[in-house]
Amino acid sequence: RKSAEKSYHNTCTESIKNRQRDMTTMLYQLEGALERRELEMYLQPKVCAENGAVAGAEALVRWKHPEKGFISPATFIPLCEENGLICQVDLLIFEQVCRCLSRWREAGVELVPVSVNVSRQHFRDPEFLSEYKRILETWKVPPEWIELEITESIMFSGSEFQYVRDFIQTLHKIGFTCSLDDFGSGYSSLSLLKDLPIDCLKLDRQFIISRFEEQSTRTVIEMIMDLARKLGIMTVAEGVELEEQVSFLREAGCDLIQGFYFSRPLPVEEFERYAFGRSLG
Ligand code: C2E
Ligand code: CA
Ligand code: CA
Ligand code: CA
């Protein structure tokens, strides 16, 4: 028995060690990937619930590892956040977004706003904003075309409410639009909507998949949509995969829909075909 426990213990320590080694290797490869620019931006369409027209996009990072193939951002983004690499990743994506918007403008297509994820790390160090401003100027992109997505969880990670509100105001002063991402994934309070000067709320995917069948969930979604409309806040539902979800959300007054039902995140060229009917490369 003792030896069984011991071997169990050893296996655990082994697997923790392996995990740490994997993470260290991944981190090392990620640094290389950043230098070699192996990270790519994909765009997922946000579609108007009323008429199905493309009304925006979210920029999502993709890493194509030379041997391991595609690695999910859900795996490497948290790792980047622990190591400060996230700032470089986000700058890279931000720059690609600006490059796209500038190209679209030159091509004369009707622009759609693109949203970019802002990591919690940036909250502690708003210095990143001067970098963003510099990139905007380089590509001559008006900030109004860019929406910054701030995850709801920053509200519960020790940030002072006042601080978050000031931060959003700073973003507005620059000209960015601001959305509250993953709304409903934690214990969000509806008063967040009243007290934070956000332009848009994104109803979290978990919210929709796990509890959509229940009447009570539907009622809560309807209430959130109603409240947002009355407060003049745009609504986006994410992770929408099914027809019945689309029709319910449309009925509930949700403005935009983002999810596999309409489209997965796409490489830029494919997004352009989807949104503008042609590739602009
Ligand atoms: P998020 O910001 O909540 O992004 C939405 C995620 O939902 C994306 O996952 C997207 O591919 C996925 N998704 C969209 N529609 C559907 C659907 O209908 N069904 C399902 N099952 N999934 C759907 P992805 O691209 O794997 O990204 C995961 C998370 O990684 C993102 O969650 C975001 O928090 C983070 N992330 C991705 N790119 C970046 C980035 O450039 N910078 C930062 N800081 N974080 C990023
Ligand atoms: Ca997001
Ligand atoms: Ca989200
Ligand atoms: Ca999420």
Side-chain angles (χ1 to χ4, degrees), residues 142-202:
E144 288 72 23
W145 289 104
I146 298 179
E147 179 177 287
L148 299 181
E149 295 193 1
I150 296 164
T151 161
E152 173 200 89
S153 65
I154 52 127
M155 292 305 304
F156 311 104
S157 60
S159 305
E160 295 278 331
F161 176 80
Q162 184 75 33
Y163 183 79
V164 177
R165 196 170 59 190
D166 291 352
F167 185 81
I168 295 175
Q169 262 151 11
T170 308
L171 299 181
H172 277 153
K173 266 186 219 136
I174 299 174
F176 291 118
T177 312
C178 220
S179 67
L180 191 58
D181 199 0
D182 303 333
F183 188 82
S185 61
Y187 292 92
S188 16
S189 144
L190 287 182
S191 68
L192 272 187
L193 299 184
K194 169 174 75 68
D195 296 331
L196 287 180
I198 49 159
D199 306 289
C200 175
L201 86 81
K202 297 190 75 178

Side-chain angles (χ1 to χ4, degrees), residues 236-268:
V236 181
E238 46 177 17
V240 176
E241 298 182 357
L242 307 171
E243 166 97 65
E244 66 240 42
Q245 294 170 335
V246 175
S247 49
F248 170 74
L249 289 162
R250 190 188 292 129
E251 281 294 300
C254 182
D255 297 304
L256 304 181
I257 289 175
Q258 179 182 347
F260 297 171
Y261 178 78
F262 286 105
S263 171
R264 288 179 174 267
L266 303 169
V268 172

